[in-house]
Amino acid sequence: MDIYQTVISHYPHWSKIELIAVVIVMIISFIILERFYKKDKINKIQMFFCILFIIYLLHVYGSTVFSRLPSKRICKLEVFWSWKEILNSMNTTYPKYELFLENILNVIMLLPIGK
């Protein structure tokens, strides 16, 4: 499965309320950034990267909150339980691909953004 199919399958369509909320947040962000720019508190490059960061945060929020579907959630207070589960299932005929994919997407989502 390529990265496009992974994103499409794990990122369901947003409802109208969610889209309206994202648009409102972006409009408010643009207004605040424009005021900072006009007062010479930030330059164009800083404004551009602030917009990119806001889009990133909205994407993370959308993929972690808006994409929640009703299902059974597992929460264990054991360090690396999911990785142990994945490694133990590699010897079986049905490896836990979905759990592996969820772990990889969590790692990618939490990669630091910086210089």
Side-chain angles (χ1 to χ4, degrees), residues 25-55:
V25 168
M26 289 302 293
I27 290 172
I28 291 171
S29 301
F30 288 141
I31 291 171
I32 292 171
L33 288 172
E34 182 183 12
R35 287 186 181 174
F36 280 150
Y37 178 71
K38 286 184 178 179
K39 292 180 181 179
D40 290 330
K41 293 191 177 195
I42 60 173
N43 58 29
K44 284 184 181 182
I45 295 173
Q46 291 171 329
M47 188 172 162
F48 174 74
F49 282 108
C50 284
I51 292 169
L52 283 180
F53 184 65
I54 291 168
I55 291 170

Side-chain angles (χ1 to χ4, degrees), residues 77-111:
L77 297 177
E78 180 184 341
V79 178
F80 299 118
W81 73 268
S82 58
W83 290 104
K84 292 176 189 174
E85 189 81 24
I86 292 166
L87 291 175
N88 290 337
S89 73
M90 290 299 176
N91 299 329
T92 63
T93 54
Y94 300 107
K96 300 202 173 187
Y97 177 72
E98 290 295 322
L99 186 58
F100 176 73
L101 190 58
E102 183 178 334
N103 284 353
I104 294 300
L105 290 174
N106 284 339
V107 169
I108 291 171
M109 177 183 65
L110 295 174
L111 285 175

